[in-house]
Amino acid sequence: MVPFNVLLILLTCVASSASDFDYPWVTADGSSPSRKLNTSSFNITAAIAEMKKKPVRTRDGPTLVSRSWKRFVVSRGATVTLNCTVLEAGDVSVSWSRNKEVLTNGRYRYTSDDRISPMHEAGSCDYGLRFVRVQPEDSAVYKCHVGTEPEQVAAVNLVVIDAYSVIFGASEVSVAAGGTLYLLCMVLQVSDIPEYILWYRDNTVIDYTKESISVKTEEDTRSSELQVRNINFTDSGNYTCQPSNAIPANVIVHVFKAPTQGGQTGLQGVVCHVSPTVTWEGQTRSTP
């Protein structure tokens, strides 16, 4: 009987010497050996080494592939969907819990909190937990459980923070009658774009249809700019910037009569410059 190492050498020599050799075995793709094979690039050593590799063992049954997040930070009022992906779940239960309270199981809700709903379609490998209008008190560790033995669990620490808004500048602003008022409001620590940012004066929504009033809202910067031209004494009051998903900000606006003595200047408006440092300056105009 020919030793294996000798056979290996012989096969290697044949492979290197014969560029077109009809191998007497079925080829790797299962085709018949009737066709000629170009053996100039055939490496019998590599082929045998590949055959000796141990097959990779795969896990049978339901497999949880979702990772465990350390923290998931959102702002108050946001809508959150926590996802849990389970392969080949079959009839195994997949549930969500919070502080040992079962919230959902499969497509069914167990909690009385109607803000929570399961997100799962038949045949899908995704088992989501949808949470609308989240509040800071909803902050907790949420866990996805796969009912295998042993149990598979993925966890996420949901942190709900209070977003807030700021109106740049002082808490009280004085503007000369006939001048222009500029107010810039920005929403900070917010995870979702506000559905709206409304401006109020003395708890009443300002009249956006007035020609003297213009509002410019930017989604990218979560900001809103209010401009009141030709301001008069009736425009004095408490101005509030109210985003849909953040704590409001307010500023007191005083309108005063500009000096009319010759050569003096009257304050026409207030301009906010947003930069690494926030500064305010007054626009001026000469009065007769």
Side-chain angles (χ1 to χ4, degrees), residues 58-120:
T58 58
R59 181 170 184 166
D60 297 330
T63 304
L64 175 64
V65 297
S66 294
R67 66 182 180 88
S68 293
W69 300 276
K70 290 183 179 180
R71 294 182 72 196
F72 188 25
V73 181
V74 296
S75 56
R76 178 197 292 264
T79 296
V80 179
T81 300
L82 306 178
N83 189 49
C84 184
T85 302
V86 182
L87 302 180
E88 301 180 6
D91 296 331
V92 172
S93 66
V94 180
S95 60
W96 279 94
S97 70
R98 175 185 59 194
N99 298 330
K100 298 183 179 181
E101 174 193 4
V102 177
L103 302 175
T104 63
N105 192 333
R107 301 171 63 183
Y108 302 97
R109 188 186 76 204
Y110 279 66
T111 178
S112 59
D113 191 342
D114 59 5
R115 297 176 303 151
I116 295 177
S117 57
M119 301 290 291
H120 175 68

Side-chain angles (χ1 to χ4, degrees), residues 32 39 74 78 128 147 214 219 255 257 275:
S32 63
T39 61
V74 296
S214 62
E219 288 188 353
V255 180
K257 185 177 180 180
S275 61

Side-chain angles (χ1 to χ4, degrees), residues 73-288:
V73 181
V74 296
S75 56
R76 178 197 292 264
T79 296
V80 179
T81 300
L82 306 178
N83 189 49
C84 184
T85 302
V86 182
L87 302 180
E88 301 180 6
D91 296 331
V92 172
S93 66
V94 180
S95 60
W96 279 94
S97 70
R98 175 185 59 194
N99 298 330
K100 298 183 179 181
E101 174 193 4
V102 177
L103 302 175
T104 63
N105 192 333
R107 301 171 63 183
Y108 302 97
R109 188 186 76 204
Y110 279 66
T111 178
S112 59
D113 191 342
D114 59 5
R115 297 176 303 151
I116 295 177
S117 57
M119 301 290 291
H120 175 68
E121 296 182 0
S124 172
C125 59
D126 294 323
Y127 295 79
L129 179 72
R130 189 168 185 267
F131 213 142
V132 301
R133 303 186 305 277
V134 294
Q135 303 298 314
E137 53 267 26
D138 297 320
S139 299
V141 175
Y142 292 78
K143 295 182 179 181
C144 171
H145 304 262
V146 181
T148 56
E149 184 61 42
E151 184 182 56
Q152 302 173 65
V153 179
V156 53
N157 183 13
L158 178 65
V159 179
V160 184
I161 61 176
D162 269 321
Y164 64 94
S165 54
V166 294
I167 298 176
F168 287 96
S171 59
E172 294 192 25
V173 176
S174 296
V175 186
T180 301
L181 169 68
Y182 299 90
L183 295 176
L184 176 63
C185 174
M186 294 192 70
V187 186
L188 305 178
Q189 288 192 175
V190 63
S191 57
D192 291 348
I193 296 175
E195 295 180 7
Y196 58 82
I197 301 178
L198 294 178
W199 285 94
Y200 291 77
R201 186 180 68 84
D202 296 335
N203 300 320
T204 301
V205 178
I206 63 172
D207 187 357
Y208 287 83
T209 63
K210 291 181 64 175
E211 292 184 0
S212 60
I213 293 178
S214 62
V215 176
K216 182 180 180 181
T217 301
E218 297 285 349
E219 288 188 353
D220 293 341
T221 58
R222 274 77 162 168
S223 65
S224 180
E225 178 186 298
L226 169 67
Q227 184 177 140
V228 183
R229 296 175 296 275
N230 194 25
I231 197 168
N232 57 57
F233 299 105
T234 60
D235 294 319
S236 298
N238 185 351
Y239 283 74
T240 301
C241 166
Q242 175 65 76
S244 62
N245 56 351
I247 298 173
N250 60 77
V251 61
I252 303 297
V253 175
H254 302 284
V255 180
F256 66 91
K257 185 177 180 180
T260 57
Q261 296 180 3
Q264 292 186 354
T265 58
L267 186 63
Q268 186 184 19
V270 178
V271 181
C272 172
H273 299 278
V274 181
S275 61
T277 59
V278 180
T279 60
W280 289 76
E281 67 179 23
Q283 289 182 332
T284 60
R285 60 182 177 134
S286 297
T287 56

